[in-house]
Each structure stands twice: as C-alpha cells, then as structure tokens.
Amino acid sequence: MKLHIAHLYPELLNIYGDKGNVTAFLKRCLWRDIQAEITEINPGDQIDPELYDFYFIGGGQDAQQIAVADELQIQKETLHQAANNGAVFLAICGGYQLLGHYYKPHNGDKLAGISILDAYTVAGNTRYIGNVTVNINIPHSNLNTLVGFENHSGLTYLQGDTKPLGTVKVGNGNNGSDKTEGAVYKNVFGTYLHGSLLPKNPHFTDYLIKLALEKKYGKIQLSELPDDIELLAHKNAVNKKY
Ligand code: GLN
C-alpha cells in the first residue's frame, strides 16, 4: 500500500510547526510498512487530482494568505475534484479559512476561498491566542479529545453540510461564541489547531490515514503503534489546569 501526500504551499503557509503534521502522517505510515511520499506543491505547480490521497495546507499571516488565495483560485477545480473523489484534506487556520468561501481581513478586500467548505471567515476585534482542547468523536478511538494551539483573529462560521469537527472545551475555536471548532465535509477537515496537531493527537492522525487507505484499498485495520510518549503529551495538555 502507498499513500501520496501533497503539502500545499509549505513555503508560504507553515507556522507553529505545521510541517510536523505531514511528518507525523508520513511516519505513522512508514512505521507500519505502509509506503508514503510527500510532494511539496508550490505556486505554479500542477496538481494531479488522481494522484494524491492526502492534502495538507497550513496556516500563515494575511500577507502569505493573499499569495496563496490567488494560487488556490487557479487550482480550485482540481482541488474540488480531489475532494469530491474522497481525498483526505487537513487544513489549519489560514489554510482552513481559504477552503471556505472567503476570508475578510480587517483592512483590505475579501480574499476569495475555494468553497470546498461551506464556511466563511471575517476578522474579529480579538486575537485568540492559547491552548485549545476540543471534544471530538473519532470512530474506533477511545480518546475523544484533540489538543492544539490557536492564534487567529478570524471568526469562522459554518453552514449547510459543513459540520463542526468538535466542541471547544478550552479555548475559542471557530469564532469564540458558538463553541464549535473546525469543520468537516466529506473527508475534508479544517481546524484552527496548530501544534503541531497530528504528533500530539495520534488517534486523529490514524483516523486520517485509515480514511485515506480505505478510500484506495477498502476496509483496513491499522496495526497498533507504541504511543506512550505521544499520549503523555496529549494527556498532559488535556489535564492542564487553566
Ligand atoms: N490570518 C489569519 C487570522 O489571524 C490566520 C492566522 C493563522 O493562520 N495563524 O485569522
């Protein structure tokens, strides 16, 4: 078995260790003897929507988002095709905002997103910075939390068939008011959680790997990995007193 990973625009969107997400995804495949390969996609590169099983896009500041927003418009049809075919996407913060309809910064024009997620984002007056714990229901997992770190002023609102990834227990999440965090539509996931997210949420990483493998190869049972250190980090974050 082999998974092809597309890391979208790593030179523009890659803050708070976002790159660790693709590393965690890759390593947890390789440790199980599942082949995996990362391709970095930069502006101007063609994307083959039939090739990639997992797309990752990280976060960044408004200036980098502007550059990426323009490029995403060029890739819009291709990425829709991939998402509609069931490819797995993980988008963090600035990248997450651009998978929705638009991001309206404080100053300047709306940045058009690619509308894979039925969501929109407007800059608020508060910057949400800090640790986040999210309650989430991951199939076949006995861990029902995600931990990460948020830093955004954008307020994201979900609509239609795009559903929240989870419920905020600590922190602000999508907009600081409705307790939702992140978004899911088909196999497309968006979240405000930097961290890196996947290394300290190994159950979520495995869920994404399983989705990507099952899309390609049918029903899969992933082997267990020794996750003592990862789970120590996860539980330490969950049990932190604020
Ligand atoms: N510019 C966006 C915001 O502040 C995204 C920030 C980020 O990706 N960390 O809302």
Side-chain angles (χ1 to χ4, degrees), residues 8 52 100-101 162 181 223 225 231:
L8 301 177
Y52 298 106
H101 301 302
T162 294
E181 208 304 306
S223 56
L225 292 173
L231 293 178

Side-chain angles (χ1 to χ4, degrees), residues 6-122:
H7 187 175
L8 301 177
Y9 316 116
E11 285 171 17
L12 291 164
L13 296 180
N14 178 27
I15 51 173
Y16 305 120
D18 281 341
K19 190 175 180 171
N21 291 303
V22 285
T23 307
F25 190 100
L26 176 87
K27 286 288 186 182
R28 293 183 74 81
C29 290
L30 299 182
W31 288 334
R32 295 177 162 110
D33 291 328
I34 298 162
Q35 292 180 52
E37 187 179 305
I38 300 170
T39 303
E40 297 196 345
I41 308 284
N42 293 302
D45 290 350
Q46 294 277 359
I47 300 170
D48 177 355
E50 304 291 330
L51 177 63
Y52 298 106
D53 307 294
F54 177 57
Y55 291 81
F56 176 78
I57 182 165
Q61 302 313 318
D62 288 13
Q64 285 74 41
Q65 277 185 285
I66 292 170
V68 170
D70 286 345
E71 180 66 19
L72 282 176
Q73 288 310 312
I74 300 168
Q75 306 299 343
K76 184 172 174 176
E77 291 314 314
T78 304
L79 294 174
H80 269 265
Q81 196 182 325
N84 287 333
N85 286 344
V88 178
F89 282 66
L90 177 64
I92 311 284
C93 200
Y96 166 36
Q97 294 170 350
L98 294 177
L99 292 199
H101 301 302
Y102 62 83
Y103 166 54
K104 171 73 184 80
H106 263 294
N107 303 312
D109 299 335
K110 268 186 191 172
L111 290 185
I114 54 172
S115 301
I116 288 181
L117 296 173
D118 192 354
Y120 62 93
T121 304
V122 283

Side-chain angles (χ1 to χ4, degrees), residues 130-216:
N131 294 324
V132 186
T133 305
V134 177
N135 287 325
I136 177 175
N137 187 6
I138 299 175
H140 313 297
S141 168
N142 47 17
L143 256 192
N144 54 9
T145 41
L146 283 184
V147 295
F149 173 80
E150 65 182 339
N151 183 353
H152 59 106
S153 62
L155 307 174
T156 298
Y157 299 94
L158 310 181
Q159 312 176 130
D161 289 337
T162 294
K163 301 298 176 198
L165 179 60
T167 310
V168 171
K169 199 168 141 205
V170 174
N172 295 282
N174 280 338
N175 50 55
S177 55
D178 67 10
K179 292 278 174 199
T180 65
E181 208 304 306
V184 190
Y185 173 69
K186 295 191 172 167
N187 287 343
V188 179
F189 298 84
T191 174
Y192 274 108
L193 303 190
H194 296 281
S196 308
L197 175 71
L198 295 187
K200 52 187 168 183
N201 295 283
H203 52 311
F204 187 57
T205 316
D206 284 356
Y207 176 52
L208 300 183
I209 291 172
K210 192 169 152 64
L211 282 175
L213 286 171
E214 289 191 342
K215 154 80 189 47
K216 204 165 179 179

